[in-house]
Amino acid sequence: MPILFLMGAPLFTPLYAQQVVISPDADTVYVCPDSILVLSAKGGTGYFWSSPTLTISNPSADTLRLTVPASGGLVVLTASVNGIAQRDSVHIVVANP
């Protein structure tokens, strides 16, 4: 996208899309059985964690601590970014050593 200049100053600057991200930033996380997994939210406000299979004790926190059962699961983060709801998710897979 070109940037237009008038007398050395830009008329506008390009906007870059901000997005909500779960850290660690991976689509799938591998953990040992009965381990504690810490997930952090970045890039938004009004965080809400959910899962169809895992119990989430504090769904509005920016950091989530989970004791992962042997079956693993899916965690979904929903947050507002500039007034628009965005989602990120991570699959948790339990790998036996």
Side-chain angles (χ1 to χ4, degrees):
M1 167 187 293
I3 299 176
L4 302 176
F5 288 86
L6 178 67
M7 306 275 271
L11 293 177
F12 67 92
T13 56
L15 296 176
Y16 298 98
Q18 186 181 15
Q19 61 186 14
V20 64
V21 176
I22 296 175
S23 178
D25 190 13
D27 292 331
T28 303
V29 175
Y30 296 90
V31 297
C32 292
D34 299 318
S35 63
I36 295 176
L37 177 63
V38 178
L39 300 173
S40 298
K42 296 179 184 177
T45 59
Y47 300 119
F48 182 76
W49 299 92
S50 61
S51 174
T53 57
L54 302 173
T55 301
I56 296 175
S57 59
N58 190 1
S60 61
D62 60 349
T63 300
L64 179 66
R65 291 178 57 90
L66 291 171
T67 301
V68 182
S71 59
L74 171 71
V75 175
V76 178
L77 171 65
T78 304
S80 175
V81 178
N82 298 323
I84 299 171
Q86 290 191 7
R87 287 189 175 145
D88 192 12
S89 63
V90 61
H91 291 273
I92 303 167
V93 177
V94 175
N96 291 314

